[in-house]
mmCIF file with all atom_site columns, all heavy atoms in Angstrom:
data_model
loop_
_atom_site.group_PDB
_atom_site.id
_atom_site.type_symbol
_atom_site.label_atom_id
_atom_site.label_alt_id
_atom_site.label_comp_id
_atom_site.label_asym_id
_atom_site.label_entity_id
_atom_site.label_seq_id
_atom_site.pdbx_PDB_ins_code
_atom_site.Cartn_x
_atom_site.Cartn_y
_atom_site.Cartn_z
_atom_site.occupancy
_atom_site.B_iso_or_equiv
_atom_site.pdbx_formal_charge
_atom_site.auth_seq_id
_atom_site.auth_comp_id
_atom_site.auth_asym_id
_atom_site.auth_atom_id
_atom_site.pdbx_PDB_model_num
ATOM 1  N N   . PRO A 1 81 ? -13.030 4.512  -22.038 1.00 96.00 ? 81 PRO A N   1
ATOM 2  C CA  . PRO A 1 81 ? -14.418 4.656  -22.717 1.00 96.00 ? 81 PRO A CA  1
ATOM 3  C C   . PRO A 1 81 ? -15.337 5.524  -21.814 1.00 96.00 ? 81 PRO A C   1
ATOM 4  O O   . PRO A 1 81 ? -15.946 5.032  -20.889 1.00 96.00 ? 81 PRO A O   1
ATOM 5  C CB  . PRO A 1 81 ? -14.945 3.222  -22.827 1.00 96.00 ? 81 PRO A CB  1
ATOM 6  C CG  . PRO A 1 81 ? -13.744 2.341  -22.434 1.00 96.00 ? 81 PRO A CG  1
ATOM 7  C CD  . PRO A 1 81 ? -12.857 3.107  -21.628 1.00 96.00 ? 81 PRO A CD  1
ATOM 8  N N   . ALA A 1 82 ? -15.409 6.761  -22.203 1.00 93.00 ? 82 ALA A N   1
ATOM 9  C CA  . ALA A 1 82 ? -16.262 7.704  -21.367 1.00 93.00 ? 82 ALA A CA  1
ATOM 10 C C   . ALA A 1 82 ? -16.627 8.804  -22.307 1.00 93.00 ? 82 ALA A C   1
ATOM 11 O O   . ALA A 1 82 ? -15.917 9.191  -23.292 1.00 93.00 ? 82 ALA A O   1
ATOM 12 C CB  . ALA A 1 82 ? -15.436 8.307  -20.203 1.00 93.00 ? 82 ALA A CB  1
ATOM 13 N N   . SER A 1 83 ? -17.795 9.400  -22.042 1.00 92.00 ? 83 SER A N   1
ATOM 14 C CA  . SER A 1 83 ? -18.360 10.412 -22.995 1.00 92.00 ? 83 SER A CA  1
ATOM 15 C C   . SER A 1 83 ? -17.349 11.666 -23.130 1.00 92.00 ? 83 SER A C   1
ATOM 16 O O   . SER A 1 83 ? -17.314 12.224 -24.169 1.00 92.00 ? 83 SER A O   1
ATOM 17 C CB  . SER A 1 83 ? -19.738 10.839 -22.508 1.00 92.00 ? 83 SER A CB  1
ATOM 18 O OG  . SER A 1 83 ? -19.686 11.450 -21.294 1.00 92.00 ? 83 SER A OG  1
ATOM 19 N N   . TYR A 1 84 ? -16.767 11.952 -22.039 1.00 94.00 ? 84 TYR A N   1
ATOM 20 C CA  . TYR A 1 84 ? -15.907 13.116 -22.090 1.00 94.00 ? 84 TYR A CA  1
ATOM 21 C C   . TYR A 1 84 ? -14.705 12.942 -23.022 1.00 94.00 ? 84 TYR A C   1
ATOM 22 O O   . TYR A 1 84 ? -14.118 13.860 -23.490 1.00 94.00 ? 84 TYR A O   1
ATOM 23 C CB  . TYR A 1 84 ? -15.417 13.611 -20.712 1.00 94.00 ? 84 TYR A CB  1
ATOM 24 C CG  . TYR A 1 84 ? -15.082 12.525 -19.663 1.00 94.00 ? 84 TYR A CG  1
ATOM 25 C CD1 . TYR A 1 84 ? -13.818 12.021 -19.691 1.00 94.00 ? 84 TYR A CD1 1
ATOM 26 C CD2 . TYR A 1 84 ? -16.011 12.159 -18.760 1.00 94.00 ? 84 TYR A CD2 1
ATOM 27 C CE1 . TYR A 1 84 ? -13.393 11.018 -18.762 1.00 94.00 ? 84 TYR A CE1 1
ATOM 28 C CE2 . TYR A 1 84 ? -15.625 11.134 -17.789 1.00 94.00 ? 84 TYR A CE2 1
ATOM 29 C CZ  . TYR A 1 84 ? -14.374 10.582 -17.801 1.00 94.00 ? 84 TYR A CZ  1
ATOM 30 O OH  . TYR A 1 84 ? -14.034 9.662  -16.861 1.00 94.00 ? 84 TYR A OH  1
ATOM 31 N N   . PHE A 1 85 ? -14.287 11.674 -23.198 1.00 97.00 ? 85 PHE A N   1
ATOM 32 C CA  . PHE A 1 85 ? -13.246 11.404 -24.132 1.00 97.00 ? 85 PHE A CA  1
ATOM 33 C C   . PHE A 1 85 ? -13.846 11.182 -25.554 1.00 97.00 ? 85 PHE A C   1
ATOM 34 O O   . PHE A 1 85 ? -13.269 11.473 -26.599 1.00 97.00 ? 85 PHE A O   1
ATOM 35 C CB  . PHE A 1 85 ? -12.367 10.202 -23.789 1.00 97.00 ? 85 PHE A CB  1
ATOM 36 C CG  . PHE A 1 85 ? -11.367 10.519 -22.696 1.00 97.00 ? 85 PHE A CG  1
ATOM 37 C CD1 . PHE A 1 85 ? -11.420 9.941  -21.467 1.00 97.00 ? 85 PHE A CD1 1
ATOM 38 C CD2 . PHE A 1 85 ? -10.420 11.502 -22.951 1.00 97.00 ? 85 PHE A CD2 1
ATOM 39 C CE1 . PHE A 1 85 ? -10.384 10.234 -20.470 1.00 97.00 ? 85 PHE A CE1 1
ATOM 40 C CE2 . PHE A 1 85 ? -9.456  11.879 -22.038 1.00 97.00 ? 85 PHE A CE2 1
ATOM 41 C CZ  . PHE A 1 85 ? -9.453  11.236 -20.760 1.00 97.00 ? 85 PHE A CZ  1
ATOM 42 N N   . ASP A 1 86 ? -15.108 10.588 -25.597 1.00 96.00 ? 86 ASP A N   1
ATOM 43 C CA  . ASP A 1 86 ? -15.765 10.366 -26.872 1.00 96.00 ? 86 ASP A CA  1
ATOM 44 C C   . ASP A 1 86 ? -15.926 11.845 -27.558 1.00 96.00 ? 86 ASP A C   1
ATOM 45 O O   . ASP A 1 86 ? -15.772 11.884 -28.797 1.00 96.00 ? 86 ASP A O   1
ATOM 46 C CB  . ASP A 1 86 ? -17.159 9.752  -26.694 1.00 96.00 ? 86 ASP A CB  1
ATOM 47 C CG  . ASP A 1 86 ? -17.056 8.369  -26.210 1.00 96.00 ? 86 ASP A CG  1
ATOM 48 O OD1 . ASP A 1 86 ? -15.983 7.720  -26.383 1.00 96.00 ? 86 ASP A OD1 1
ATOM 49 O OD2 . ASP A 1 86 ? -18.098 7.788  -25.633 1.00 96.00 ? 86 ASP A OD2 1
ATOM 50 N N   . ASN A 1 87 ? -16.302 12.795 -26.831 1.00 96.00 ? 87 ASN A N   1
ATOM 51 C CA  . ASN A 1 87 ? -16.435 14.126 -27.361 1.00 96.00 ? 87 ASN A CA  1
ATOM 52 C C   . ASN A 1 87 ? -15.124 14.635 -28.040 1.00 96.00 ? 87 ASN A C   1
ATOM 53 O O   . ASN A 1 87 ? -15.215 15.296 -29.048 1.00 96.00 ? 87 ASN A O   1
ATOM 54 C CB  . ASN A 1 87 ? -16.910 15.100 -26.285 1.00 96.00 ? 87 ASN A CB  1
ATOM 55 C CG  . ASN A 1 87 ? -18.269 14.730 -25.785 1.00 96.00 ? 87 ASN A CG  1
ATOM 56 O OD1 . ASN A 1 87 ? -18.869 13.749 -26.091 1.00 96.00 ? 87 ASN A OD1 1
ATOM 57 N ND2 . ASN A 1 87 ? -18.857 15.671 -24.986 1.00 96.00 ? 87 ASN A ND2 1
#
Side-chain angles (χ1 to χ4, degrees):
S83 62
Y84 40 84
F85 283 120
D86 291 342
N87 294 12

